[in-house]
Amino acid sequence: MSFDRLQDQIIEKKNPTVLGLDPRIEYVPKHIQEMCYARFGRNLQGTVEAIYQFNCGLMDGLADLVPAVKPQAAYYEMLGWRGMEMMERTIRYAGNKGFYVIADIKRGDIGSTAQAYAEGWLGKTGTAAGEEEMFGADCVTLNGYMGVDSITPFMEVAVKEKKSLFLLVKTSNPSGKDLQDMKIDGKTVYQIMGDLTEKWGAGTAGKYGYQVIGAVVGATYPEEMKQLRRRLNKTFFLVPGYGAQGGTAEDVRYAFDACGRGAIVNASRSLMCAWKKTGGDGRDYQEASRAAAIAMRDDICRFVTIE
Amino acid sequence: MSFDRLQDQIIEKKNPTVLGLDPRIEYVPKHIQEMCYARFGRNLQGTVEAIYQFNCGLMDGLADLVPAVKPQAAYYEMLGWRGMEMMERTIRYAGNKGFYVIADIKRGDIGSTAQAYAEGWLGKTGTAAGEEEMFGADCVTLNGYMGVDSITPFMEVAVKEKKSLFLLVKTSNPSGKDLQDMKIDGKTVYQIMGDLTEKWGAGTAGKYGYQVIGAVVGATYPEEMKQLRRRLNKTFFLVPGYGAQGGTAEDVRYAFDACGRGAIVNASRSLMCAWKKTGGDGRDYQEASRAAAIAMRDDICRFVTIE
């Protein structure tokens, strides 16, 4: 339960990283774009299919190497319902390839509404034909501004279906500080949110000691990460901000426990767009992203030994 | 610009309310369900079409009476991509009927990702065929936990396209207090978020004095609402929590300014499910929701005079 399945896969692959699938059409090599436009039209459908082919190609190239993928809902929603249909396909393809799928949706709403989101993303929805799985992710990211009501329905589904959640605690972006760094009686808002994460998840720890609710903690704030790691010893960390946003391997080491467990580091653009740095036309995108993923793994594993 | 178009419509209809479209299949009268199952199948597609017919019927019945609708994304996402396709159709239908459309999505993410969401929901997305409108809402709800980065891309699109936003400030649900009521140097988190809302929206006020970023302020906390109204005089309020959640007309009066402007009150279940209280089989759902919408308008207008 909880993060056991993800941690098992990280240990098996000796790689604590996740491939962020945040695709814009500009990231897709021209030959894939042209192939899809020829087949589906130089239109929205062609765009959607080109991105899907690219997602699949990246996953094919990394399936033996990387334990998880994190599709970011925004990049699918920006393509309307066709994008969401392709997100469903991407998640299914990822599952079939053995990836643990973290849907980066950052939802948060009142109880009844959170229930609907939880059914759609992690559980099953009642239709005229009975209960059906919709997006079918293994894990989602959530925003806790609305309190425990907004998390409980996800927690119930996650416990039942052996899935997991990440709550936004200390985010990687520069303006994360606007609210999160404010101090309340000597504690910052992000510390409070971290404490709530650990409190709300109480009693759900799996075999590695991590509860069903993890925390998003950005690589761009290593000092804060170090404090949070000490403070929250039952909380699995999802670490964005490595690479393009400026976080280094030395920074992210603090997210891990003494056994090199309890965290996974995301990279999106640096893996997806690796082909843009080889000087080629993108036909080598799988090799390029594979080389970047190996470099990232090795970079982090200089500081983190996974037991 | 800003909330001018919404306020104009509220004044024209003398009705400061919004119909929340948060449909579950259980809310749809049996005769509509059966008609759609016969035509599209007793399956997910049939379920989606039954909800769409119900949405359209509700809007047909209320178009002359109610100025705005607020589809809640969760209830569409829970039906997977077919639900999202139907959400697009619902928004388009609402626009054609003259409703101001507030997409209740409560998104919030780092700058580049917020940009993608803003394109998808309020603006246009680049595809192989050029720039295309996707969901095409007039307004969205957002979560500001990640700071100004996460709001700016929406603000830019909203200003350009004469659209608007609502930021979560003091939400209507019981556990909203978990984080929002914490005090920082004598100010609560929701007051801080309210102040940020007004600060971030500076310089965008329209003809009624309201800026492009409004605030979600729940009807279930009338004292807090009264304070926020005094504190934030350039901020339009979206008020959930009237009716089913316990907020009364007397409670929501404090959301309005002295001219009866600057706020809109949402009701979802009490309007959508009004037919369940008439003792009938749901064939009268349009009349029932119309009677409920008139009762709600009159209830609020006992306390609020719109000039």
Side-chain angles (χ1 to χ4, degrees):
Chain A
M1 65 183 278
S2 290
F3 285 98
D4 290 355
R5 203 149 46 91
L6 176 58
Q7 187 64 67
D8 284 342
Q9 289 182 220
I10 292 171
I11 291 171
E12 191 198 317
K13 297 198 166 123
K14 293 260 180 257
N15 186 359
T17 68
V18 47
L19 164 66
L21 290 172
D22 310 6
R24 280 190 175 267
I25 188 67
E26 307 90 83
Y27 301 171
V28 180
K30 277 278 173 252
H31 72 284
I32 298 178
Q33 289 189 34
E34 291 306 327
M35 180 186 73
C36 291
Y37 299 160
R39 190 159 161 212
F40 299 99
R42 196 170 289 274
N43 53 29
L44 177 56
Q45 192 63 35
T47 306
V48 165
E49 297 302 331
I51 291 173
Y52 180 66
Q53 286 306 319
F54 181 52
N55 279 351
C56 293
L58 288 169
M59 289 190 276
D60 290 345
L62 297 174
D64 64 321
L65 192 66
V66 174
V69 295
K70 182 174 74 63
Q72 162 58 260
Y75 294 93
Y76 302 85
E77 280 181 44
M78 76 183 293
L79 297 162
W81 69 264
R82 285 181 186 80
M84 296 308 274
E85 186 276 329
M86 190 261 288
M87 186 168 182
E88 278 193 37
R89 263 192 284 161
T90 297
I91 291 173
R92 210 175 311 123
Y93 193 90
N96 289 339
K97 283 269 162 185
F99 289 102
Y100 193 83
V101 182
I102 303 165
D104 196 355
I105 58 175
K106 297 191 178 69
R107 304 299 193 247
D109 216 304
I110 65 167
S112 49
T113 303
Q115 180 65 40
Y117 276 131
E119 291 173 23
W121 287 97
L122 294 181
K124 293 193 173 84
T125 297
T127 74
E131 300 272 294
E132 287 183 57
E133 191 177 68
M134 297 296 155
F135 289 101
D138 297 308
C139 179
V140 291
T141 58
L142 299 175
N143 185 324
Y145 186 77
M146 294 177 78
V148 70
D149 291 358
S150 60
I151 309 302
T152 306
F154 285 97
M155 226 177 88
E156 288 169 359
V157 176
V159 167
K160 185 175 158 211
E161 308 274 353
K162 301 193 192 313
K163 296 185 170 183
S164 60
L165 321 171
F166 285 107
L167 220 56
L168 297 180
V169 170
K170 175 70 183 147
T171 62
S172 60
N173 59 322
S175 78
K177 65 175 174 13
D178 288 352
L179 182 70
Q180 296 161 30
D181 284 9
M182 292 254 177
K183 274 203 175 172
I184 299 177
D185 297 333
K187 276 185 6 179
T188 57
V189 167
Y190 72 78
Q191 284 169 339
I192 289 168
M193 193 52 87
D195 292 347
L196 289 172
T197 301
E198 196 137 316
K199 180 181 150 196
W200 294 341
T204 63
K207 65 180 178 183
Y208 296 105
Y210 291 101
Q211 299 180 160
V212 75
I213 317 182
V216 175
V217 181
T220 42
Y221 300 101
E223 268 312 307
E224 289 83 343
M225 175 181 281
K226 206 188 292 187
Q227 290 165 18
L228 284 168
R229 180 72 290 165
R230 260 188 249 119
R231 193 179 186 99
L232 309 174
N233 60 20
K234 296 175 191 146
T235 302
F236 202 99
F237 286 1
L238 170 62
V239 182
Y242 172 92
Q245 288 181 57
T248 68
E250 220 176 328
D251 295 333
V252 303
R253 68 197 293 187
Y254 302 118
F256 296 86
D257 66 20
C259 302
R261 299 179 194 144
I264 192 161
V265 182
N266 181 73
S268 304
R269 273 166 294 168
S270 57
L271 301 186
M272 300 187 79
C273 298
W275 66 268
K276 294 199 176 188
K277 296 193 170 166
T278 65
D281 62 359
R283 285 181 193 272
D284 62 343
Y285 77 101
Q286 286 176 307
E287 293 77 6
S289 71
R290 202 175 159 82
I294 290 171
M296 179 183 174
R297 178 197 66 189
D298 293 348
D299 187 31
I300 292 170
C301 290
R302 284 189 299 137
F303 297 98
V304 179
T305 307
I306 302 169
E307 291 170 20
Chain B
M1 66 183 279
S2 289
F3 284 99
D4 290 355
R5 201 149 47 90
L6 176 58
Q7 187 65 66
D8 283 342
Q9 288 183 220
I10 291 171
I11 291 171
E12 190 198 316
K13 296 198 166 122
K14 294 261 180 256
N15 186 359
T17 69
V18 47
L19 164 67
L21 289 173
D22 311 5
R24 279 190 175 268
I25 188 66
E26 308 89 84
Y27 300 173
V28 180
K30 277 280 173 250
H31 72 283
I32 298 178
Q33 290 189 34
E34 291 306 327
M35 180 185 74
C36 291
Y37 299 159
R39 190 160 160 210
F40 299 99
R42 196 169 289 275
N43 52 29
L44 177 56
Q45 191 64 34
T47 305
V48 164
E49 297 302 332
I51 291 173
Y52 180 67
Q53 287 306 320
F54 181 52
N55 279 351
C56 293
L58 287 168
M59 290 190 277
D60 291 344
L62 297 173
D64 63 322
L65 192 66
V66 174
V69 294
K70 181 174 75 63
Q72 161 58 261
Y75 294 94
Y76 302 85
E77 280 181 44
M78 76 183 293
L79 297 163
W81 68 264
R82 286 181 184 80
M84 296 307 275
E85 185 276 328
M86 190 261 289
M87 186 168 181
E88 278 192 38
R89 262 191 284 159
T90 297
I91 291 173
R92 210 175 311 123
Y93 194 89
N96 290 339
K97 283 270 162 184
F99 290 102
Y100 193 83
V101 182
I102 303 164
D104 196 355
I105 58 174
K106 298 190 177 69
R107 303 298 192 250
D109 216 304
I110 64 167
S112 49
T113 302
Q115 180 64 41
Y117 276 130
E119 292 174 22
W121 286 98
L122 294 181
K124 292 192 174 84
T125 296
T127 75
E131 300 271 296
E132 286 184 56
E133 191 177 70
M134 297 295 155
F135 289 101
D138 297 309
C139 178
V140 291
T141 59
L142 299 175
N143 186 324
Y145 186 78
M146 295 177 77
V148 69
D149 290 358
S150 60
I151 309 302
T152 306
F154 285 97
M155 226 178 90
E156 287 170 359
V157 176
V159 166
K160 185 176 159 210
E161 308 274 354
K162 301 194 192 311
K163 296 185 171 184
S164 60
L165 321 171
F166 285 107
L167 220 56
L168 297 180
V169 171
K170 175 70 182 148
T171 62
S172 60
N173 59 321
S175 78
K177 65 176 173 16
D178 288 352
L179 182 71
Q180 297 161 30
D181 284 10
M182 292 254 177
K183 274 203 174 171
I184 299 178
D185 297 333
K187 280 193 346 188
T188 57
V189 167
Y190 71 79
Q191 284 169 339
I192 289 169
M193 193 53 85
D195 292 348
L196 289 173
T197 301
E198 195 136 318
K199 180 181 150 196
W200 294 341
T204 63
K207 65 181 177 182
Y208 295 105
Y210 290 101
Q211 299 180 158
V212 76
I213 316 181
V216 175
V217 180
T220 42
Y221 300 100
E223 267 313 307
E224 289 83 343
M225 174 181 281
K226 206 188 292 186
Q227 290 165 18
L228 285 168
R229 180 72 291 165
R230 260 188 248 120
R231 194 179 186 100
L232 309 174
N233 61 20
K234 295 175 190 147
T235 302
F236 202 98
F237 285 2
L238 170 63
V239 182
Y242 172 92
Q245 288 180 57
T248 67
E250 219 176 329
D251 295 332
V252 303
R253 69 197 291 187
Y254 302 118
F256 295 85
D257 66 20
C259 302
R261 299 178 194 146
I264 191 161
V265 181
N266 181 73
S268 304
R269 274 167 294 168
S270 58
L271 302 185
M272 300 187 80
C273 299
W275 65 268
K276 293 199 176 188
K277 295 192 172 168
T278 65
D281 62 359
R283 286 182 192 272
D284 63 342
Y285 77 101
Q286 287 175 308
E287 293 78 5
S289 71
R290 202 174 159 83
I294 290 170
M296 179 183 175
R297 178 198 67 190
D298 293 349
D299 187 30
I300 292 169
C301 290
R302 284 189 298 137
F303 298 97
V304 179
T305 306
I306 302 169
E307 291 170 20

